[in-house]
Amino acid sequence: MSRLLVCCKQDIPSMNMKHQLLEKGEWEDIGSDGVNSYLQNDNIVMITIDNMHIYAENIDKTAENFGIRVDDIVVLSKHSSASKKPTLTVHPIGNYKENQMGGNAKTLVKSLPHLMSGTLRKIYELNDNPTYHVSFEVTHHGPYVDTPAMYIEVGSEESRWNDEHAAKILIDSLISAEEKDNPVIVGVGGGHYAPKFSKLALTKNIDIGHMVPNYQIVGSSDDEISRMISDAAKMSNTDMIYVHQGSMKSSEEKRIDAIIDSLGLHRFFPKNM
């Protein structure tokens, strides 16, 4: 298997994570395609790009055209939020509706449930700074790629972006993450930082794929919700849907249940959750 790590010169945590990787092994300079540079360590290739990664559409094809086999992609990134809450996050990629931040509209990228959940568990284990909150983020933004992909991020404002120890935690977690063959579920409901889905991955032998938050559901038609859940399941390679009970009105939950049934998918109920 060959993994492509995407580093961006405009992104401080991305470059800090690159620095951490360079300290952890022997990397061979395998050249440039005239725009991007490439380093290789065994089955891992690190591409460094100039422009922001969320707009690096088809970066997998760019690497493959350079002669790199790409089986999965991890983008090394900063995270921004108005709250400025210190956060270490992991998330899948794609757009349920508009593509205001890269990618294609109404298009998801294949998720990496086992790697994403395994990495989250390791971040939680290795995080020695209680200031940092550890969680998933729900599916959002670009770039669009055909290859399964995910983001790891340091947030949420500039003073945290410069935190090299936070970058080290993420890289150590990615490198040591266990990809267990756990059942995979899609999460529906809740907020952007997916507390229920994060807790599920951290406490149960369950891995999380795409996540559809309430803010995508509210005001959406049955057809739109059906498309979003169907795409999330397909791009997570699962037929199991976990609905965050209590995060929506009972009437909305019943509507979601009916849509799940109509799609031939199955609602997942974790024990003792």
Side-chain angles (χ1 to χ4, degrees):
M1 187 185 79
S2 181
R3 175 162 296 153
L4 183 69
L5 304 180
V6 180
C7 303
C8 171
K9 291 180 181 178
Q10 295 185 28
D11 187 312
I12 295 169
S14 187
M15 296 308 289
N16 284 343
M17 283 185 263
K18 176 179 179 177
H19 176 71
Q20 291 295 325
L21 285 160
L22 292 177
E23 289 193 337
K24 292 182 183 301
E26 297 296 325
W27 291 82
E28 178 187 359
D29 185 344
I30 57 173
S32 168
D33 58 18
V35 178
N36 312 295
S37 60
Y38 298 83
L39 300 172
Q40 185 165 10
N41 181 343
D42 194 18
N43 64 342
I44 300 175
V45 174
M46 184 161 35
I47 181 173
T48 302
I49 64 177
D50 289 329
N51 298 324
M52 282 302 295
H53 34 65
I54 62 172
Y55 302 112
E57 315 297 352
N58 300 302
I59 194 69
D60 51 347
K61 297 295 186 293
T62 299
E64 287 169 357
N65 289 337
F66 185 69
I68 305 299
R69 174 183 167 183
V70 181
D71 291 313
D72 63 36
I73 297 172
V74 180
V75 184
L76 316 180
S77 174
K78 66 183 179 185
H79 169 64
S80 301
S81 75
S83 72
K84 299 184 179 180
K85 184 176 183 178
T87 311
L88 304 175
T89 70
V90 183
H91 74 83
I93 310 175
N95 298 302
Y96 290 111
K97 295 178 181 176
E98 305 85 9
N99 58 335
Q100 296 177 344
M101 297 178 67
N104 296 336
K106 299 180 180 180
T107 304
L108 304 184
V109 171
K110 293 175 186 175
S111 65
L112 287 166
H114 303 308
L115 179 61
M116 200 167 66
S117 301
T119 301
L120 185 78
R121 294 181 189 110
K122 272 296 178 181
I123 296 171
Y124 188 80
E125 175 188 332
L126 298 179
N127 178 34
D128 54 4
N129 185 345
T131 303
Y132 279 98
H133 177 65
V134 177
S135 75
F136 285 130
E137 288 180 90
V138 299
T139 306
H140 66 303
H141 71 59
Y144 176 76
V145 289
D146 285 331
T147 306
M150 61 180 255
Y151 266 69
I152 57 174
E153 302 183 347
V154 176
S156 299
E157 46 87 26
E158 192 167 354
S159 68
R160 299 297 173 179
W161 298 340
N162 285 290
D163 187 342
E164 293 191 13
H165 185 63
K168 182 178 186 301
I169 290 170
L170 290 190
I171 291 303
D172 287 348
S173 299
L174 179 65
I175 290 172
S176 61
E178 294 183 65
E179 294 185 66
K180 298 180 179 179
D181 190 24
N182 290 328
V184 174
I185 64 168
V186 160
V188 175
H192 186 79
Y193 292 95
K196 278 284 188 179
F197 312 144
S198 300
K199 182 181 178 182
L200 193 59
L202 290 171
T203 61
K204 305 290 183 181
N205 293 320
I206 295 294
D207 291 342
I208 315 296
H210 280 290
M211 292 161 273
V212 188
N214 277 342
Y215 65 79
Q216 297 288 4
I217 294 170
V218 173
S220 296
S221 68
D222 287 0
D223 285 346
E224 287 176 312
I225 295 172
S226 179
R227 170 183 56 78
M228 290 189 285
I229 293 177
S230 177
D231 288 352
K234 178 181 178 182
M235 300 305 264
S236 303
N237 194 28
T238 186
D239 64 357
M240 293 195 295
I241 312 296
Y242 172 69
V243 180
H244 181 173
Q245 291 177 296
S247 72
M248 61 185 72
K249 294 179 179 179
S250 59
S251 58
E252 192 79 315
E253 187 176 341
K254 289 177 182 177
R255 180 165 76 124
I256 299 298
D257 273 345
I259 290 170
I260 291 170
D261 287 342
S262 72
L263 291 169
L265 302 173
H266 305 286
R267 181 139 177 209
F268 176 78
F269 293 93
K271 294 180 181 178
N272 302 319
M273 184 66 179

